[in-house]
Amino acid sequence: MPSHLSADRPAAPPPGRGPVDALISQTRRLKGEVDAVRRDTPADPADPRERWRRALYDLALHQLDDLDGHLAQLRDDPLPVPGPAPAPDDALLSRVGSAEWDLLTDEVRWSGELYRILGRDPATGPLTLDELPSLVFEEDRPALTAMVTDCLVDARPIDGEFRVVRPDDGVRTVHMMGEPVLGADGSTTSMWAVLRDVSELRRYRRAVSETRDSLRRRRHAAARTEHRLAVELQEAVLPTWHGPLRLPQAGPGTLDLAAAHLPPSAHARIGGDWYDALELPDGTTVLGAGELTGHGVGAASGMAMLLGAVRGMAMTGTAPGPLLTCLNRLLDTTAQPALGSAVCLRYRPETRSLLWAQAGHPAPLLFRGGTGWALDAPDGVLLGATPGASYGQAEVTLEAGDVLLLHTDKPVPDHTGATAVHRLLALAPRFAAARTAQDCVRAVVEECGARERDDTACVLVARVAP
């Protein structure tokens, strides 16, 4: 508790005019600079962010006005005696008033500013502590009474706010700070207080809070709209099937296909992950998976462009390596450069041969006879990372009953890289017992899709029919 004033100790002399005048000059110079910046700020009432900035500037100017007024009173050391009310345009000095209640002589002294703050005519004289609550808003009277009682009885400092009802301009908010003055025997002999009209300050703070809340609501609404658009775009572009699908539909070496899109948690943004399976006119099947950096509508629209390019070039018979080379050029020349990864495979059912290439993407996982491993990856950098990059190809022959798993990054929540691959390879016994590709996808979803995830993931399973 701060030390209380002593009745037999003389008051400290007011500070010298020179240092206070210097502070006043600095305050007014800063106020002018803030006002200049405020005037140069665009005023667009329809923009919540601009309204919020404007309200902050107004609040800063109001507080600098108050500081200017407080320093002027400190320099002039006004005596707390009644006087004529300040002129209406004297806004600075009219916001702070002082009072002292002498408990020994029942004398009450108010400054002229306090009469204006409380909306009273100086001719009527000051109010006693018992009469003061009559000016206060009814709901605030118990709090004021408790503050005064604690000060007088327990020598606690006063620091609180209450509302007063003024006959001229309605309800005003007043902040009161004060301390008891103790006599030689430790009892309270008087109480002094400084009262400040903080109505405008509270109004500015409410304006700042309201504009901030409005801006937050706008941002949340925009985020929800972007999320909805990204989801709709992703659903429109990704294959409508999830399984089962057979490509080609008849003949030896047919692939039994199934896929799953593992969405992020509700609070996470949609990524640019994709997968695809396409039967070509020559009877071969193209499989692919990949992702694009970024989130939201931008990533979803970029993914749509990339997937369209993959399908178009695959239909022309472009091999996996040259296809990725073309995708790299495409990303390198887009208006909004981005990085991406992809894996592209071409499967010939008559020979069960698989030709594939990758661009900075996890290698496909091959499961055979209850065990699994990652295919040895040919050279290939991320799409959009190196202009003019070329992409190598690798070839492997599959067997009847083999299961091929393609996935994008982070298929297993909270696991990346080798750890995630190890978790997927551990599914080999379940894949061996599965009768369809859909059973394999179901095993992946049970292992990886039930928990909260912070990003999108896709899995594509191809099982070579016996």
Side-chain angles (χ1 to χ4, degrees), residues 276-350:
D276 201 14
L278 186 66
E279 183 179 3
L280 302 183
D282 62 359
T284 60
T285 298
V286 169
L287 306 177
E291 58 186 302
L292 203 63
T293 55
H295 295 85
V297 174
S301 61
M303 177 266 292
M305 175 194 68
L306 204 66
L307 187 52
V310 169
R311 291 169 177 169
M313 286 186 287
M315 291 299 293
T316 65
T318 307
L323 188 150
L324 293 181
T325 299
C326 293
L327 289 183
N328 183 63
R329 293 174 185 167
L330 178 63
L331 283 186
D332 190 47
T333 57
T334 54
Q336 295 181 341
L339 295 177
S341 69
V343 59
C344 183
L345 307 86
R346 175 177 285 184
Y347 173 73
R348 292 190 177 276
E350 63 271 14

Side-chain angles (χ1 to χ4, degrees), residues 133 135-145 161-163 165:
L135 299 179
V136 178
F137 202 70
E138 185 174 358
E139 295 179 0
D140 297 346
R141 291 176 185 175
L144 174 61
T145 301
E161 292 184 3
F162 52 86
R163 292 166 293 173
V165 182

Side-chain angles (χ1 to χ4, degrees), residues 4-87:
H4 305 296
L5 299 179
S6 176
D8 57 357
R9 185 174 61 196
R17 294 179 63 91
V20 177
D21 281 334
L23 291 175
I24 292 175
S25 298
Q26 294 176 16
T27 301
R28 292 175 179 174
R29 183 169 58 253
L30 177 59
K31 184 172 63 175
E33 293 172 354
V34 172
D35 187 47
V37 175
R38 183 184 67 87
R39 288 195 304 269
D40 293 338
T41 301
D44 183 2
D47 187 349
R49 187 176 184 84
E50 294 302 331
R51 293 203 308 270
W52 175 68
R53 288 176 175 172
R54 194 80 175 183
L56 283 178
Y57 281 128
D58 290 341
L59 178 60
L61 286 173
H62 179 82
Q63 292 176 328
L64 288 172
D65 279 344
D66 282 347
L67 177 60
D68 191 1
H70 298 334
L71 292 173
Q73 285 189 315
L74 183 64
R75 177 194 60 192
D76 300 335
D77 191 28
L79 296 175
V81 296

